[in-house]
Amino acid sequence: LRHCMAHSQLLQNKLQDVNVQLKAEQQHVKIMEGEAKGAQERLEFANQSLNASQEEVEKLEQKVVELTDPDYRDVSKVQLAGIIATWAESRDEFKCGKCGQMMRDPHSLTGFCGHTFCKGCIVDHLIEDTKCPVCQRHAMRADLRPNHPIDQLLNHLQGGCIRAQALRPSEQALGLKPMLP
């Protein structure tokens, strides 16, 4: 009987050990399920991001086709140049402070105020007056400097569209010729 009781105690101890191991394994399974669920959520998010990225790539590819394929273009190069020229004409920073037209050969009064004009307009003005036409500060012909950044920007934006206009009388007197594209 003692032997049976000892054997029974041994079996109960083993059963307790198995139950402890079973609970540990169940907790481990719950942890693994949680990690798997988190991984699944991350995978779903990654798939959504990938789909959104693919849609963006498709949109960009369509834009490239629209811009490069003549069959998809709505605006010809001539029309586009006209649109750009019209936009540039509407911008005050590209207009001469004297004549109000798009600047030709832009020059700035560097010594005093920095206002910018067509070279012909400001040269004509400074022959008759020694003040800036915009702010009335003292100005001299020696203070005139070419405004290369504006000139380059106008050349780039306009592609010469507006610059091919007829010369002003003062520009003709200086022997200048129209700037052609």
Side-chain angles (χ1 to χ4, degrees), residues 49-146:
S49 296
L50 178 62
N51 289 337
S53 296
Q54 287 173 337
E55 289 173 11
E56 283 296 314
V57 167
E58 289 171 5
K59 287 178 185 176
L60 290 173
E61 287 173 343
Q62 181 61 32
K63 290 272 187 202
V64 168
V65 168
E66 289 171 5
L67 292 172
T68 57
D69 189 339
D71 294 335
Y72 283 92
R73 278 192 227 144
D74 293 336
V75 180
S76 71
K77 288 183 180 180
V78 173
Q79 290 170 320
L80 185 58
I83 291 167
I84 291 171
T86 302
W87 173 82
E89 285 178 336
S90 72
R91 305 292 300 195
D92 287 339
E93 55 266 22
F94 300 132
K95 292 181 181 178
C96 173
K98 179 73 175 157
C99 71
Q101 300 297 311
M102 290 297 294
M103 282 186 262
R104 285 183 275 175
D105 194 13
H107 275 61
S108 298
L109 292 169
T110 58
F112 299 95
C113 60
H115 287 114
T116 303
F117 310 89
C118 301
K119 182 179 180 181
C121 290
I122 193 63
V123 167
D124 286 350
H125 176 81
L126 291 176
I127 290 171
E128 298 175 19
D129 195 350
T130 59
K131 294 180 181 172
C132 171
V134 175
C135 66
Q136 302 302 310
R137 287 187 179 172
H138 178 73
M140 299 185 320
R141 191 170 177 176
D143 298 320
L144 282 178
R145 298 287 181 273

XYZ file of all heavy atoms in Angstrom, residues 49-146:
767
model
N -0.295 50.296 -48.409
C 0.701 51.286 -48.838
C 1.217 50.961 -50.230
O 1.390 51.851 -51.069
C 1.868 51.332 -47.852
O 1.434 51.770 -46.602
N 1.465 49.683 -50.464
C 1.941 49.257 -51.779
C 0.903 49.569 -52.850
O 1.236 50.085 -53.915
C 2.268 47.764 -51.764
C 2.735 47.162 -53.087
C 4.037 47.814 -53.541
C 2.911 45.662 -52.955
N -0.365 49.282 -52.563
C -1.427 49.578 -53.527
C -1.513 51.074 -53.801
O -1.663 51.495 -54.948
C -2.775 49.048 -53.035
C -2.856 47.531 -53.079
O -2.128 46.883 -53.826
N -3.729 46.969 -52.262
N -1.409 51.887 -52.741
C -1.446 53.341 -52.927
C -0.253 53.797 -53.756
O -0.382 54.657 -54.643
C -1.470 54.043 -51.573
N 0.916 53.232 -53.491
C 2.107 53.587 -54.254
C 1.958 53.178 -55.715
O 2.346 53.919 -56.621
C 3.350 52.925 -53.658
O 3.585 53.409 -52.364
N 1.397 52.003 -55.949
C 1.177 51.552 -57.321
C 0.206 52.474 -58.053
O 0.401 52.786 -59.228
C 0.667 50.109 -57.334
C 1.736 49.095 -56.997
C 1.195 47.683 -56.845
O 0.015 47.480 -56.566
N 2.072 46.699 -57.008
N -0.820 52.943 -57.340
C -1.762 53.885 -57.953
C -1.046 55.190 -58.312
O -1.285 55.756 -59.381
C -2.934 54.154 -57.007
C -3.878 52.983 -56.866
C -4.933 53.199 -55.792
O -5.070 54.333 -55.283
O -5.634 52.229 -55.452
N -0.173 55.674 -57.413
C 0.588 56.897 -57.687
C 1.503 56.700 -58.898
O 1.610 57.576 -59.745
C 1.414 57.314 -56.470
C 0.616 57.965 -55.376
C -0.006 59.275 -55.819
O 0.676 60.107 -56.450
O -1.207 59.463 -55.544
N 2.161 55.543 -58.965
C 3.035 55.251 -60.103
C 2.219 55.234 -61.390
O 2.634 55.795 -62.410
C 3.785 53.918 -59.898
C 4.436 53.436 -61.178
C 4.817 54.056 -58.787
N 1.046 54.613 -61.350
C 0.191 54.577 -62.540
C -0.228 55.983 -62.963
O -0.236 56.307 -64.150
C -1.038 53.705 -62.280
C -0.716 52.221 -62.200
C -1.890 51.375 -61.719
O -3.010 51.915 -61.521
O -1.687 50.160 -61.525
N -0.556 56.843 -61.985
C -0.926 58.223 -62.305
C 0.255 58.957 -62.934
O 0.087 59.689 -63.912
C -1.378 58.964 -61.045
C -2.738 58.546 -60.542
C -3.088 59.284 -59.260
C -4.386 58.792 -58.660
N -4.686 59.445 -57.378
N 1.450 58.770 -62.353
C 2.636 59.425 -62.899
C 2.958 58.904 -64.295
O 3.328 59.675 -65.182
C 3.828 59.228 -61.964
C 3.756 59.984 -60.637
C 4.907 59.559 -59.733
C 3.780 61.480 -60.861
N 2.817 57.591 -64.493
C 3.052 57.023 -65.816
C 2.070 57.612 -66.825
O 2.448 57.928 -67.957
C 2.939 55.498 -65.778
C 4.110 54.817 -65.106
C 3.916 53.320 -64.924
O 2.762 52.828 -65.014
O 4.929 52.634 -64.675
N 0.814 57.794 -66.425
C -0.185 58.392 -67.315
C 0.193 59.834 -67.635
O 0.070 60.267 -68.772
C -1.581 58.331 -66.674
C -2.670 58.901 -67.554
C -2.831 58.162 -68.879
O -2.616 56.955 -68.963
N -3.213 58.883 -69.906
N 0.689 60.573 -66.635
C 1.129 61.962 -66.879
C 2.271 61.984 -67.885
O 2.306 62.841 -68.767
C 1.572 62.632 -65.574
C 0.479 62.925 -64.621
C -0.097 64.263 -64.918
C -1.088 64.600 -63.820
N -2.045 65.565 -64.228
N 3.213 61.046 -67.726
C 4.341 60.985 -68.662
C 3.825 60.730 -70.075
O 4.251 61.373 -71.032
C 5.360 59.903 -68.234
C 6.364 59.620 -69.327
C 6.070 60.322 -66.962
N 2.881 59.814 -70.204
C 2.306 59.526 -71.521
C 1.627 60.776 -72.068
O 1.819 61.150 -73.224
C 1.298 58.349 -71.437
C 0.477 58.235 -72.698
C 2.042 57.050 -71.157
N 0.853 61.465 -71.221
C 0.148 62.666 -71.667
C 1.123 63.750 -72.108
O 0.837 64.500 -73.038
C -0.754 63.190 -70.556
C -1.956 62.298 -70.299
C -2.729 62.710 -69.066
O -2.405 63.737 -68.439
O -3.681 61.994 -68.715
N 2.266 63.839 -71.416
C 3.224 64.889 -71.742
C 4.113 64.544 -72.926
O 4.638 65.426 -73.590
C 4.101 65.194 -70.522
C 3.375 65.864 -69.354
C 4.298 65.943 -68.149
C 2.887 67.248 -69.740
N 4.303 63.252 -73.188
C 5.248 62.870 -74.232
C 4.593 62.333 -75.498
O 5.167 62.426 -76.567
C 6.235 61.807 -73.708
O 5.497 60.676 -73.230
C 7.103 62.370 -72.599
N 3.414 61.803 -75.390
C 2.753 61.212 -76.554
C 1.922 62.282 -77.257
O 0.990 62.838 -76.673
C 1.854 60.054 -76.097
C 1.300 59.266 -77.274
O 1.265 59.795 -78.394
O 0.891 58.110 -77.054
N 2.218 62.582 -78.524
C 1.485 63.635 -79.240
C -0.024 63.377 -79.321
O -0.794 64.308 -79.409
C 2.099 63.646 -80.633
C 3.318 62.807 -80.570
C 3.253 61.971 -79.337
N -0.430 62.115 -79.278
C -1.856 61.812 -79.354
C -2.609 62.250 -78.099
O -3.814 62.432 -78.123
C -2.077 60.307 -79.561
C -1.555 59.840 -80.907
O -1.467 60.684 -81.833
O -1.229 58.651 -81.030
N -1.889 62.400 -76.978
C -2.527 62.768 -75.719
C -2.402 64.257 -75.413
O -3.027 64.746 -74.501
C -1.910 61.980 -74.546
C -2.393 60.571 -74.486
C -1.692 59.561 -75.136
C -3.531 60.234 -73.785
C -2.128 58.246 -75.085
C -3.972 58.926 -73.727
C -3.261 57.935 -74.379
O -3.694 56.644 -74.317
N -1.555 64.975 -76.135
C -1.327 66.382 -75.828
C -2.529 67.218 -76.231
O -3.009 67.134 -77.345
C -0.087 66.896 -76.550
C 1.152 66.541 -75.803
C 2.323 67.304 -76.356
N 3.379 66.323 -76.530
C 4.241 66.330 -77.493
N 4.246 67.277 -78.375
N 5.146 65.396 -77.581
N -2.981 68.052 -75.295
C -4.072 68.972 -75.587
C -3.527 70.326 -76.033
O -4.229 71.095 -76.668
C -4.951 69.190 -74.352
C -5.702 67.937 -73.957
O -5.916 67.082 -74.835
O -6.064 67.818 -72.785
N -2.298 70.628 -75.647
C -1.734 71.947 -75.897
C -0.467 71.798 -76.727
O 0.437 71.061 -76.362
C -1.393 72.641 -74.556
C -0.813 74.008 -74.793
C -2.635 72.737 -73.690
N -0.421 72.488 -77.865
C 0.777 72.437 -78.688
C 1.870 73.299 -78.073
O 1.609 74.087 -77.157
C 0.461 72.946 -80.095
O 0.237 74.339 -80.059
N 3.085 73.171 -78.575
C 4.195 73.983 -78.056
C 3.929 75.463 -78.273
O 4.252 76.283 -77.425
C 5.513 73.566 -78.715
C 6.028 72.240 -78.247
C 7.363 71.915 -78.879
C 7.864 70.571 -78.375
N 9.148 70.217 -78.959
N 3.340 75.809 -79.408
C 3.044 77.216 -79.700
C 2.012 77.743 -78.703
O 2.159 78.831 -78.145
C 2.545 77.383 -81.148
C 2.067 78.794 -81.411
C 3.645 76.987 -82.123
N 0.960 76.948 -78.440
C -0.056 77.357 -77.481
C 0.550 77.488 -76.086
O 0.250 78.428 -75.357
C -1.206 76.360 -77.447
C -2.069 76.373 -78.689
C -3.043 75.209 -78.695
O -2.690 74.092 -78.304
N -4.264 75.459 -79.144
N 1.417 76.542 -75.720
C 2.056 76.582 -74.407
C 2.928 77.824 -74.267
O 2.904 78.494 -73.244
C 2.891 75.317 -74.186
C 3.530 75.166 -72.815
C 2.467 75.185 -71.721
C 4.331 73.886 -72.740
N 3.676 78.170 -75.305
C 4.500 79.383 -75.268
C 3.618 80.606 -75.095
O 3.954 81.525 -74.339
C 5.336 79.490 -76.540
N 2.470 80.628 -75.753
C 1.533 81.743 -75.603
C 0.980 81.836 -74.194
O 0.841 82.929 -73.646
N 0.669 80.685 -73.600
C 0.161 80.661 -72.226
C 1.217 81.198 -71.274
O 0.930 82.019 -70.391
C -0.265 79.230 -71.830
C -1.519 78.826 -72.611
C -0.503 79.117 -70.328
C -1.845 77.345 -72.540
N 2.458 80.757 -71.438
C 3.543 81.219 -70.569
C 3.764 82.717 -70.751
O 3.921 83.450 -69.774
C 4.834 80.424 -70.843
C 4.659 78.982 -70.354
C 6.032 81.070 -70.157
C 5.777 78.053 -70.763
N 3.742 83.185 -71.995
C 3.941 84.611 -72.256
C 2.821 85.430 -71.624
O 3.072 86.476 -71.020
C 4.014 84.866 -73.758
N 1.584 84.960 -71.726
C 0.454 85.667 -71.118
C 0.615 85.720 -69.608
O 0.376 86.755 -68.980
C -0.876 84.970 -71.486
O -0.996 84.939 -72.899
C -2.064 85.681 -70.875
N 1.039 84.617 -69.002
C 1.276 84.602 -67.550
C 2.356 85.609 -67.188
O 2.201 86.383 -66.256
C 1.689 83.204 -67.095
C 2.099 83.177 -65.658
C 1.286 83.102 -64.570
C 3.432 83.248 -65.144
N 2.017 83.125 -63.422
C 3.344 83.211 -63.739
C 4.683 83.350 -65.731
C 4.456 83.267 -62.924
C 5.786 83.403 -64.913
C 5.673 83.366 -63.527
N 3.475 85.593 -67.928
C 4.581 86.494 -67.616
C 4.151 87.948 -67.775
O 4.538 88.806 -66.977
C 5.782 86.190 -68.513
N 3.328 88.238 -68.796
C 2.850 89.609 -68.994
C 1.995 90.079 -67.836
O 1.939 91.263 -67.539
C 2.043 89.715 -70.291
C 2.881 89.713 -71.529
C 2.043 89.767 -72.798
O 0.863 89.366 -72.757
O 2.579 90.211 -73.811
N 1.315 89.166 -67.173
C 0.434 89.553 -66.069
C 1.190 89.810 -64.774
O 0.623 90.319 -63.822
C -0.619 88.468 -65.844
O -0.013 87.319 -65.262
N 2.452 89.467 -64.718
C 3.240 89.614 -63.501
C 3.901 90.988 -63.458
O 4.659 91.336 -64.340
C 4.315 88.523 -63.428
C 3.804 87.097 -63.533
C 3.015 86.714 -62.351
N 3.876 86.831 -61.186
C 3.624 86.314 -60.024
N 2.533 85.653 -59.834
N 4.455 86.461 -59.028
N 3.621 91.782 -62.425
C 4.174 93.129 -62.303
C 5.691 93.133 -62.205
O 6.334 94.063 -62.684
C 3.587 93.835 -61.075
C 2.141 94.237 -61.285
O 1.718 94.351 -62.456
O 1.433 94.443 -60.281
N 6.265 92.101 -61.595
C 7.722 92.104 -61.425
C 8.474 91.973 -62.751
O 9.670 92.200 -62.812
C 8.194 91.040 -60.433
C 7.750 89.646 -60.729
C 6.473 89.245 -60.013
O 5.682 90.101 -59.608
O 6.268 88.043 -59.865
N 7.766 91.637 -63.836
C 8.400 91.541 -65.146
C 8.098 92.758 -66.016
O 8.488 92.809 -67.167
C 7.956 90.279 -65.877
C 8.297 89.009 -65.141
C 7.345 88.020 -64.960
C 9.563 88.806 -64.620
C 7.659 86.852 -64.277
C 9.879 87.646 -63.947
C 8.926 86.668 -63.772
N 7.365 93.728 -65.452
C 7.002 94.916 -66.213
C 7.942 96.062 -65.886
O 8.374 96.239 -64.751
C 5.563 95.323 -65.901
C 4.551 94.329 -66.429
C 3.145 94.773 -66.137
C 2.157 93.740 -66.670
N 0.784 94.117 -66.350
N 8.215 96.847 -66.893
C 9.068 98.025 -66.757
C 8.362 99.045 -65.868
O 7.169 99.302 -66.020
C 9.346 98.619 -68.139
S 10.218 100.193 -68.110
N 9.121 99.635 -64.931
C 8.568 100.654 -64.052
C 8.276 101.962 -64.754
O 7.636 102.847 -64.191
N 8.708 102.116 -65.994
C 8.478 103.354 -66.761
C 7.344 103.178 -67.768
O 6.377 103.917 -67.744
C 9.781 103.761 -67.470
C 9.683 105.002 -68.303
C 9.596 106.244 -67.456
C 9.627 107.470 -68.385
N 9.055 108.619 -67.790
N 7.461 102.202 -68.669
C 6.457 102.048 -69.738
C 5.338 101.073 -69.381
O 4.311 101.043 -70.041
C 7.128 101.623 -71.044
S 7.740 99.909 -71.027
N 5.530 100.244 -68.367
C 4.505 99.292 -67.949
C 4.422 98.045 -68.818
O 3.566 97.201 -68.606
N 5.302 97.924 -69.793
C 5.322 96.755 -70.683
C 6.314 95.731 -70.154
O 7.072 95.999 -69.229
C 5.732 97.190 -72.101
C 4.801 98.201 -72.730
C 3.401 97.637 -72.929
O 3.246 96.537 -73.456
N 2.395 98.386 -72.503
N 6.287 94.551 -70.777
C 7.285 93.542 -70.419
C 8.668 94.127 -70.679
O 8.894 94.774 -71.696
C 7.104 92.285 -71.263
C 5.858 91.498 -70.933
S 5.846 90.845 -69.267
C 7.190 89.705 -69.377
N 9.582 93.902 -69.741
C 10.924 94.485 -69.856
C 11.703 93.870 -71.005
O 11.644 92.667 -71.239
C 11.688 94.277 -68.562
C 11.298 95.235 -67.488
S 12.343 95.061 -66.066
C 11.302 94.042 -65.053
N 12.438 94.736 -71.693
C 13.406 94.315 -72.695
C 14.744 94.839 -72.228
O 14.872 96.020 -71.908
C 13.051 94.878 -74.068
C 11.874 94.124 -74.673
C 11.570 94.612 -76.024
N 10.676 95.776 -75.826
C 10.271 96.544 -76.799
N 10.671 96.344 -78.016
N 9.458 97.540 -76.557
N 15.723 93.963 -72.163
C 17.050 94.300 -71.671
C 16.940 94.977 -70.304
O 17.294 96.136 -70.126
C 17.776 95.204 -72.677
C 19.273 95.295 -72.386
O 19.784 94.490 -71.577
O 19.921 96.192 -72.954
N 16.433 94.260 -69.289
C 16.186 94.863 -67.979
C 17.468 95.387 -67.324
O 18.485 94.702 -67.294
C 15.571 93.743 -67.150
C 15.670 92.505 -67.948
C 16.088 92.841 -69.319
N 17.370 96.622 -66.818
C 18.468 97.267 -66.095
C 17.911 97.827 -64.792
O 16.785 98.330 -64.763
C 19.081 98.396 -66.926
C 20.118 97.917 -67.892
N 19.842 97.018 -68.896
C 21.445 98.208 -67.979
C 20.946 96.773 -69.586
N 21.935 97.486 -69.046
N 18.707 97.718 -63.725
C 18.283 98.196 -62.406
C 19.135 99.377 -61.975
O 20.310 99.468 -62.319
C 18.413 97.079 -61.370
O 17.580 96.003 -61.705
N 18.518 100.260 -61.186
C 19.239 101.359 -60.552
C 19.855 100.794 -59.269
O 19.188 100.669 -58.254
C 18.286 102.522 -60.234
C 17.732 103.243 -61.450
C 16.606 104.180 -61.045
C 18.843 103.996 -62.160
N 21.114 100.426 -59.349
C 21.733 99.686 -58.243
C 22.188 100.563 -57.096
O 22.284 100.100 -55.975
C 22.942 98.882 -58.749
O 23.860 99.787 -59.346
C 22.504 97.836 -59.756
N 22.506 101.812 -57.352
C 23.066 102.654 -56.306
C 22.078 103.111 -55.269
O 22.447 103.442 -54.155
N 20.784 103.127 -55.602
C 19.835 103.738 -54.691
C 18.656 102.835 -54.361
O 18.595 102.247 -53.308
C 19.343 105.081 -55.264
C 20.488 106.054 -55.459
C 21.115 106.153 -56.685
C 20.957 106.802 -54.405
C 22.174 107.021 -56.858
C 22.020 107.674 -54.567
C 22.635 107.791 -55.792
N 17.722 102.711 -55.316
C 16.457 102.044 -54.987
C 16.344 100.613 -55.512
O 15.582 99.822 -54.988
C 15.293 102.862 -55.525
S 15.355 103.079 -57.322
N 17.045 100.276 -56.577
C 16.983 98.926 -57.126
C 15.835 98.666 -58.071
O 15.637 97.539 -58.504
N 15.040 99.697 -58.407
C 13.945 99.484 -59.354
C 14.502 99.098 -60.723
O 15.585 99.513 -61.107
C 13.073 100.739 -59.456
C 12.230 100.939 -58.249
N 12.390 101.999 -57.388
C 11.224 100.190 -57.746
C 11.511 101.903 -56.412
N 10.792 100.806 -56.597
N 13.729 98.312 -61.457
C 14.185 97.757 -62.731
C 13.301 98.254 -63.870
O 12.077 98.347 -63.719
C 14.164 96.221 -62.670
O 14.973 95.810 -61.573
C 14.717 95.603 -63.937
N 13.937 98.542 -65.011
C 13.264 99.105 -66.179
C 13.850 98.497 -67.443
O 14.923 97.901 -67.409
C 13.486 100.631 -66.243
C 13.177 101.339 -64.963
C 14.149 101.502 -63.985
C 11.911 101.848 -64.738
C 13.863 102.156 -62.798
C 11.623 102.504 -63.556
C 12.600 102.664 -62.580
N 13.169 98.733 -68.571
C 13.784 98.448 -69.869
C 14.972 99.401 -69.983
O 14.889 100.567 -69.577
C 12.828 98.757 -71.014
S 11.276 97.854 -71.012
N 16.049 98.950 -70.546
C 17.222 99.807 -70.674
C 16.888 101.077 -71.457
O 17.245 102.182 -71.042
C 18.379 99.069 -71.349
C 19.628 99.921 -71.451
C 20.766 99.173 -72.083
C 22.008 100.078 -72.158
N 23.122 99.375 -72.797
N 16.188 100.923 -72.587
C 15.839 102.091 -73.391
C 14.986 103.087 -72.630
O 15.199 104.304 -72.713
N 14.013 102.591 -71.851
C 13.116 103.480 -71.102
C 13.884 104.281 -70.057
O 13.707 105.493 -69.934
C 12.007 102.684 -70.422
S 10.802 101.980 -71.541
N 14.736 103.627 -69.289
C 15.416 104.327 -68.203
C 16.506 105.249 -68.740
O 16.736 106.325 -68.195
C 15.943 103.342 -67.117
C 16.368 104.101 -65.857
C 17.046 102.472 -67.647
C 15.261 104.838 -65.152
N 17.153 104.846 -69.828
C 18.170 105.724 -70.426
C 17.495 107.008 -70.918
O 17.966 108.115 -70.645
C 18.934 105.005 -71.564
C 19.756 105.977 -72.382
C 19.834 103.920 -70.976
N 16.367 106.876 -71.639
C 15.620 108.048 -72.102
C 15.183 108.920 -70.926
O 15.296 110.148 -70.959
C 14.381 107.637 -72.898
C 14.710 107.114 -74.283
O 15.879 107.236 -74.704
O 13.789 106.572 -74.927
N 14.692 108.304 -69.872
C 14.209 109.046 -68.702
C 15.349 109.813 -68.031
O 15.180 110.984 -67.672
C 13.541 108.091 -67.701
C 13.114 108.766 -66.450
N 11.936 109.477 -66.369
C 13.713 108.870 -65.228
C 11.826 109.975 -65.145
N 12.885 109.615 -64.436
N 16.505 109.161 -67.858
C 17.617 109.802 -67.149
C 18.260 110.921 -67.958
O 18.959 111.765 -67.391
C 18.658 108.750 -66.744
C 18.205 107.776 -65.651
C 19.270 106.726 -65.394
C 17.818 108.492 -64.369
N 18.011 110.958 -69.262
C 18.490 112.094 -70.069
C 17.721 113.351 -69.665
O 18.283 114.440 -69.588
C 18.324 111.798 -71.578
C 19.327 110.722 -71.996
C 18.500 113.075 -72.418
C 19.108 110.193 -73.411
N 16.420 113.188 -69.368
C 15.567 114.321 -69.041
C 15.402 114.557 -67.552
O 15.068 115.659 -67.128
C 14.186 114.119 -69.678
C 14.244 114.047 -71.193
C 12.890 113.729 -71.805
O 11.866 113.908 -71.127
O 12.873 113.324 -72.975
N 15.595 113.554 -66.715
C 15.340 113.678 -65.268
C 16.384 112.866 -64.508
O 16.868 111.850 -64.997
C 13.937 113.152 -64.964
C 13.419 113.550 -63.593
O 14.195 114.073 -62.778
O 12.214 113.327 -63.345
N 16.726 113.285 -63.299
C 17.720 112.572 -62.496
C 17.071 111.882 -61.298
O 17.707 111.698 -60.264
C 18.818 113.544 -62.004
O 18.196 114.572 -61.231
C 19.589 114.118 -63.166
N 15.813 111.501 -61.446
C 15.095 110.810 -60.376
C 14.521 109.499 -60.910
O 14.126 109.402 -62.071
C 13.959 111.682 -59.830
C 14.443 112.924 -59.132
C 13.283 113.731 -58.624
C 13.813 114.996 -57.952
N 12.735 115.903 -57.612
N 14.441 108.518 -60.032
C 13.815 107.234 -60.381
C 12.349 107.489 -60.716
O 11.648 108.159 -59.952
C 13.931 106.259 -59.200
S 12.984 104.735 -59.423
N 11.852 106.943 -61.821
C 10.447 107.149 -62.187
C 9.453 106.545 -61.192
O 8.304 106.967 -61.138
C 10.304 106.456 -63.545
C 11.671 106.183 -64.029
C 12.578 106.194 -62.854
N 9.902 105.592 -60.379
C 8.998 104.935 -59.441
C 8.989 105.627 -58.082
O 7.944 105.995 -57.565
C 9.367 103.438 -59.272
C 8.507 102.777 -58.203
C 9.222 102.704 -60.593
N 10.175 105.823 -57.484
C 10.231 106.323 -56.105
C 10.759 107.753 -55.982
O 10.806 108.294 -54.885
C 11.067 105.391 -55.241
S 12.817 105.360 -55.698
N 11.185 108.345 -57.094
C 11.660 109.720 -57.145
C 12.974 109.952 -56.392
O 13.326 111.081 -56.097
C 10.580 110.700 -56.615
C 9.266 110.633 -57.375
C 9.451 110.930 -58.866
O 10.063 111.908 -59.231
N 8.937 110.033 -59.704
N 13.715 108.902 -56.080
C 15.048 109.074 -55.480
C 16.027 109.493 -56.564
O 15.832 109.214 -57.750
C 15.533 107.770 -54.850
C 14.818 107.423 -53.585
C 15.491 106.225 -52.960
N 14.823 105.886 -51.719
C 15.078 104.805 -51.031
N 15.982 103.954 -51.462
N 14.444 104.562 -49.921
N 17.093 110.142 -56.141
C 18.120 110.576 -57.075
C 18.687 109.357 -57.810
O 18.952 108.325 -57.205
C 19.241 111.304 -56.316
C 20.362 111.745 -57.203
N 20.237 112.803 -58.076
C 21.612 111.249 -57.380
C 21.368 112.943 -58.743
N 22.226 112.008 -58.327
N 18.866 109.479 -59.122
C 19.392 108.376 -59.924
C 20.277 108.937 -61.023
O 20.026 110.022 -61.548
C 18.242 107.578 -60.536
N 21.326 108.193 -61.364
C 22.234 108.594 -62.432
C 22.413 107.420 -63.387
O 22.257 106.261 -63.001
C 23.597 108.991 -61.841
C 23.531 110.157 -60.886
S 25.134 110.727 -60.278
C 26.062 109.262 -59.975
N 22.776 107.745 -64.615
C 22.986 106.706 -65.616
C 24.108 105.756 -65.198
O 24.077 104.557 -65.500
C 23.295 107.356 -66.960
C 23.275 106.380 -68.090
C 23.334 107.077 -69.411
N 23.393 106.079 -70.465
C 23.370 106.365 -71.730
N 23.269 107.613 -72.117
N 23.437 105.410 -72.617
N 25.073 106.268 -64.447
C 26.191 105.434 -63.982
C 25.734 104.351 -63.001
O 26.446 103.374 -62.778
C 27.252 106.319 -63.331
N 24.534 104.534 -62.417
C 24.010 103.551 -61.463
C 23.293 102.391 -62.139
O 22.870 101.448 -61.477
C 23.024 104.227 -60.501
C 23.687 105.313 -59.685
O 24.838 105.096 -59.258
O 23.057 106.367 -59.483
N 23.133 102.456 -63.463
C 22.432 101.387 -64.188
C 23.306 100.150 -64.335
O 24.467 100.245 -64.705
C 22.026 101.866 -65.584
C 20.814 102.756 -65.674
C 20.592 103.179 -67.118
C 19.586 102.052 -65.146
N 22.719 99.000 -64.043
C 23.398 97.720 -64.231
C 22.407 96.741 -64.850
O 21.223 96.742 -64.510
C 23.878 97.141 -62.897
C 24.883 97.963 -62.160
C 26.261 97.903 -62.830
N 27.229 98.678 -62.099
C 27.467 99.981 -62.252
N 26.768 100.663 -63.126
N 28.380 100.605 -61.538
N 22.885 95.899 -65.756
C 21.984 94.874 -66.312
C 21.464 93.968 -65.195
O 22.197 93.615 -64.283
C 22.877 94.081 -67.266
C 24.092 94.919 -67.495
C 24.238 95.809 -66.297
